[in-house]
Amino acid sequence: MKARFLHVMKRTGTVFAKCIQYGCLYHCITTYGVSCVTCDGKSMEPTIYHGDAYIVECVSVHRQTLKRGDVIGVKSLDDPNKFICKRIVAMAGDKVYNEVSNERIWVPKGHVWLEGDNKICSHDSRHYGPVPYGLIFCKLIFRIWTGHQHKVHMSKDR
């Protein structure tokens, strides 16, 4: 009976150790490698529609190889529990014209200037200024699912 109990405990420990290993591996891959995100809102239309799912990568964020034009995921400055998708318009050292405040702004070291593609619906750097690079967590690289229903317009004339 004692031998059977020890055998069960050993097997349970092995399974538990494997779960911890795979959990750590999953955490490392999704935090520092590749993951999936779903985008909400209208601020990036027509590039990204509400409900679109993307594969994202984190390597270029950690290696600091992002560039102007990249679409990224960043922690919201308004709500730190929320993530937003925006396009990098300017990098550290660049000057950018802010249409909202009607002034030219210099992007400080360690910051980026972010804007949504849909300027009317986007709450971005034009409202809250340059964003610290440390708030960026991923770069969107590939759309895997679109939540947007593409409408086909047909002419009545054939």
Side-chain angles (χ1 to χ4, degrees), residues 32 54 56 58 63-64 94 99 136 156:
Y32 303 107
Y54 276 80
V56 299
C58 307
R63 296 186 77 195
Q64 297 188 354
D94 292 345
E99 304 107 21
I136 301 171
K156 291 186 180 186

Side-chain angles (χ1 to χ4, degrees), residues 32-152:
Y32 303 107
V34 178
S35 187
C36 295
V37 298
T38 303
C39 302
D40 297 326
K42 295 183 175 194
S43 70
M44 285 299 293
E45 287 182 1
T47 307
I48 299 172
Y49 288 94
H50 178 79
D52 285 359
Y54 276 80
I55 292 178
V56 299
E57 58 93 4
C58 307
V59 175
S60 58
V61 175
H62 296 291
R63 296 186 77 195
Q64 297 188 354
T65 57
L66 295 174
K67 59 189 180 309
R68 279 175 220 81
D70 287 344
V71 178
I72 59 164
V74 63
K75 255 188 193 181
S76 172
L77 291 170
D78 297 328
D79 180 3
N81 296 319
K82 195 175 180 187
F83 295 98
I84 57 174
C85 292
K86 300 291 179 199
R87 185 178 304 279
I88 297 176
V89 173
M91 302 293 287
D94 292 345
K95 284 195 174 191
V96 64
Y97 178 73
N98 186 347
E99 304 107 21
V100 174
S101 66
N102 203 23
E103 61 184 349
R104 291 187 82 59
I105 296 173
W106 177 72
V107 181
K109 185 176 180 180
H111 290 71
V112 293
W113 188 269
L114 304 175
E115 292 184 10
D117 289 355
N118 186 352
K119 305 277 189 225
I120 297 168
C121 295
S122 183
H123 188 72
D124 49 33
S125 287
R126 296 171 301 145
H127 300 94
Y128 45 71
V131 176
Y133 196 92
L135 295 180
I136 301 171
F137 73 94
C138 70
K139 173 182 170 184
L140 281 70
I141 55 172
F142 184 75
R143 182 182 318 174
I144 55 174
W145 177 260
T146 183
H148 177 66
Q149 298 295 328
H150 296 284
K151 294 181 181 173
V152 177

